[in-house]
Tab-separated table of all heavy atoms in Angstrom:
chain	number	residue	atom	x	y	z
A	46	GLY	N	-8.480	-11.460	-2.649
A	46	GLY	CA	-9.342	-10.862	-1.634
A	46	GLY	C	-10.191	-9.721	-2.148
A	46	GLY	O	-10.479	-8.771	-1.423
A	47	LEU	N	-10.614	-9.817	-3.403
A	47	LEU	CA	-11.400	-8.741	-3.999
A	47	LEU	C	-12.751	-8.540	-3.321
A	47	LEU	O	-13.337	-7.466	-3.411
A	47	LEU	CB	-11.575	-8.987	-5.497
A	47	LEU	CG	-10.281	-8.938	-6.310
A	47	LEU	CD1	-10.546	-9.308	-7.761
A	47	LEU	CD2	-9.634	-7.563	-6.219
A	48	ALA	N	-13.240	-9.546	-2.618
A	48	ALA	CA	-14.504	-9.402	-1.893
A	48	ALA	C	-14.400	-8.340	-0.802
A	48	ALA	O	-15.400	-7.756	-0.385
A	48	ALA	CB	-14.920	-10.739	-1.287
A	49	ASN	N	-13.177	-8.065	-0.371
A	49	ASN	CA	-12.968	-7.068	0.675
A	49	ASN	C	-13.230	-5.645	0.206
A	49	ASN	O	-13.383	-4.738	1.028
A	49	ASN	CB	-11.553	-7.192	1.248
A	49	ASN	CG	-11.362	-8.526	1.925
A	49	ASN	OD1	-12.213	-8.967	2.685
A	49	ASN	ND2	-10.262	-9.180	1.641
A	50	VAL	N	-13.309	-5.445	-1.101
A	50	VAL	CA	-13.644	-4.114	-1.630
A	50	VAL	C	-14.986	-3.655	-1.051
A	50	VAL	O	-15.144	-2.496	-0.664
A	50	VAL	CB	-13.706	-4.139	-3.176
A	50	VAL	CG1	-14.372	-2.886	-3.724
A	50	VAL	CG2	-12.321	-4.324	-3.766
A	51	PHE	N	-15.925	-4.567	-0.936
A	51	PHE	CA	-17.273	-4.203	-0.535
A	51	PHE	C	-17.393	-3.965	0.966
A	51	PHE	O	-18.146	-3.093	1.392
A	51	PHE	CB	-18.263	-5.257	-1.033
A	51	PHE	CG	-18.164	-5.425	-2.520
A	51	PHE	CD1	-17.467	-6.488	-3.077
A	51	PHE	CD2	-18.718	-4.481	-3.372
A	51	PHE	CE1	-17.340	-6.623	-4.450
A	51	PHE	CE2	-18.601	-4.609	-4.747
A	51	PHE	CZ	-17.910	-5.678	-5.283
A	52	SER	N	-16.645	-4.717	1.770
A	52	SER	CA	-16.660	-4.436	3.209
A	52	SER	C	-15.925	-3.131	3.500
A	52	SER	O	-16.321	-2.363	4.375
A	52	SER	CB	-16.063	-5.600	4.009
A	52	SER	OG	-14.805	-5.974	3.517
A	53	PHE	N	-14.869	-2.849	2.745
A	53	PHE	CA	-14.151	-1.587	2.900
A	53	PHE	C	-15.055	-0.432	2.482
A	53	PHE	O	-15.075	0.639	3.129
A	53	PHE	CB	-12.865	-1.607	2.062
A	53	PHE	CG	-11.803	-0.669	2.555
A	53	PHE	CD1	-10.644	-1.155	3.125
A	53	PHE	CD2	-11.949	0.700	2.432
A	53	PHE	CE1	-9.659	-0.298	3.570
A	53	PHE	CE2	-10.968	1.574	2.864
A	53	PHE	CZ	-9.816	1.079	3.446
A	54	ALA	N	-15.841	-0.617	1.436
A	54	ALA	CA	-16.799	0.409	1.007
A	54	ALA	C	-17.836	0.651	2.103
A	54	ALA	O	-18.209	1.801	2.365
A	54	ALA	CB	-17.480	0.001	-0.296
A	55	ALA	N	-18.280	-0.413	2.780
A	55	ALA	CA	-19.230	-0.251	3.884
A	55	ALA	C	-18.597	0.532	5.029
A	55	ALA	O	-19.259	1.356	5.667
A	55	ALA	CB	-19.710	-1.617	4.372
A	56	LEU	N	-17.327	0.297	5.261
A	56	LEU	CA	-16.615	1.053	6.305
A	56	LEU	C	-16.582	2.538	5.963
A	56	LEU	O	-16.824	3.385	6.817
A	56	LEU	CB	-15.189	0.516	6.467
A	56	LEU	CG	-14.283	1.279	7.439
A	56	LEU	CD1	-14.823	1.185	8.861
A	56	LEU	CD2	-12.861	0.748	7.365
A	57	ILE	N	-16.313	2.851	4.720
A	57	ILE	CA	-16.243	4.249	4.298
A	57	ILE	C	-17.625	4.891	4.277
A	57	ILE	O	-17.810	6.014	4.748
A	57	ILE	CB	-15.569	4.352	2.910
A	57	ILE	CG1	-14.098	3.968	3.022
A	57	ILE	CG2	-15.728	5.750	2.336
A	57	ILE	CD1	-13.403	3.781	1.694
A	58	MET	N	-18.601	4.183	3.770
A	58	MET	CA	-19.935	4.757	3.606
A	58	MET	C	-20.714	4.834	4.919
A	58	MET	O	-21.527	5.740	5.093
A	58	MET	CB	-20.729	3.930	2.590
A	58	MET	CG	-20.177	3.993	1.197
A	58	MET	SD	-20.900	2.774	0.084
A	58	MET	CE	-22.615	3.236	0.100
A	59	TYR	N	-20.491	3.894	5.818
A	59	TYR	CA	-21.293	3.837	7.033
A	59	TYR	C	-20.413	3.881	8.273
A	59	TYR	O	-20.031	4.946	8.717
A	59	TYR	CB	-22.207	2.612	7.011
A	59	TYR	CG	-23.217	2.691	5.894
A	59	TYR	CD1	-23.115	1.885	4.772
A	59	TYR	CD2	-24.262	3.612	5.944
A	59	TYR	CE1	-24.036	1.983	3.737
A	59	TYR	CE2	-25.182	3.717	4.908
A	59	TYR	CZ	-25.055	2.900	3.814
A	59	TYR	OH	-25.952	3.002	2.784
A	60	SER	N	-20.082	2.731	8.828
A	60	SER	CA	-19.282	2.700	10.054
A	60	SER	C	-18.670	1.308	10.215
A	60	SER	O	-19.003	0.392	9.464
A	60	SER	CB	-20.150	3.041	11.266
A	60	SER	OG	-20.964	1.935	11.616
A	61	PRO	N	-17.820	1.152	11.212
A	61	PRO	CA	-17.236	-0.184	11.437
A	61	PRO	C	-18.279	-1.266	11.699
A	61	PRO	O	-18.114	-2.395	11.256
A	61	PRO	CB	-16.346	0.030	12.671
A	61	PRO	CG	-15.964	1.467	12.606
A	61	PRO	CD	-17.185	2.174	12.059
A	62	ILE	N	-19.363	-0.937	12.367
A	62	ILE	CA	-20.380	-1.948	12.672
A	62	ILE	C	-20.952	-2.538	11.388
A	62	ILE	O	-21.062	-3.765	11.251
A	62	ILE	CB	-21.497	-1.347	13.551
A	62	ILE	CG1	-20.935	-1.003	14.932
A	62	ILE	CG2	-22.684	-2.299	13.671
A	62	ILE	CD1	-21.846	-0.175	15.789
A	63	GLU	N	-21.301	-1.686	10.446
A	63	GLU	CA	-21.847	-2.159	9.180
A	63	GLU	C	-20.799	-2.939	8.386
A	63	GLU	O	-21.104	-3.949	7.757
A	63	GLU	CB	-22.391	-0.995	8.350
A	63	GLU	CG	-23.686	-0.430	8.872
A	63	GLU	CD	-23.531	0.597	9.986
A	63	GLU	OE1	-22.390	0.827	10.444
A	63	GLU	OE2	-24.544	1.171	10.392
A	64	ALA	N	-19.554	-2.482	8.430
A	64	ALA	CA	-18.477	-3.192	7.730
A	64	ALA	C	-18.266	-4.580	8.328
A	64	ALA	O	-18.086	-5.561	7.598
A	64	ALA	CB	-17.186	-2.376	7.788
A	65	PHE	N	-18.309	-4.671	9.660
A	65	PHE	CA	-18.187	-5.981	10.315
A	65	PHE	C	-19.344	-6.887	9.906
A	65	PHE	O	-19.155	-8.088	9.704
A	65	PHE	CB	-18.157	-5.839	11.840
A	65	PHE	CG	-16.830	-5.401	12.394
A	65	PHE	CD1	-16.700	-4.177	13.017
A	65	PHE	CD2	-15.716	-6.210	12.294
A	65	PHE	CE1	-15.488	-3.762	13.540
A	65	PHE	CE2	-14.490	-5.809	12.808
A	65	PHE	CZ	-14.378	-4.578	13.429
A	66	ALA	N	-20.533	-6.331	9.783
A	66	ALA	CA	-21.699	-7.127	9.376
A	66	ALA	C	-21.503	-7.691	7.973
A	66	ALA	O	-21.781	-8.873	7.723
A	66	ALA	CB	-22.971	-6.288	9.447
A	67	VAL	N	-21.008	-6.868	7.053
A	67	VAL	CA	-20.762	-7.338	5.685
A	67	VAL	C	-19.733	-8.468	5.706
A	67	VAL	O	-19.923	-9.503	5.052
A	67	VAL	CB	-20.299	-6.177	4.772
A	67	VAL	CG1	-19.830	-6.696	3.415
A	67	VAL	CG2	-21.425	-5.170	4.588
A	68	VAL	N	-18.655	-8.298	6.468
A	68	VAL	CA	-17.613	-9.339	6.554
A	68	VAL	C	-18.192	-10.623	7.148
A	68	VAL	O	-17.990	-11.714	6.604
A	68	VAL	CB	-16.410	-8.857	7.400
A	68	VAL	CG1	-15.470	-10.001	7.726
A	68	VAL	CG2	-15.667	-7.747	6.693
A	69	ALA	N	-18.910	-10.496	8.249
A	69	ALA	CA	-19.432	-11.683	8.935
A	69	ALA	C	-20.419	-12.454	8.064
A	69	ALA	O	-20.322	-13.683	7.935
A	69	ALA	CB	-20.093	-11.270	10.257
Side-chain angles (χ1 to χ4, degrees):
L47 295 175
N49 296 314
V50 166
F51 303 101
S52 52
F53 204 111
L56 175 64
I57 292 169
M58 294 168 61
Y59 296 108
S60 76
I62 293 169
E63 287 84 355
F65 282 114
V67 171
V68 169

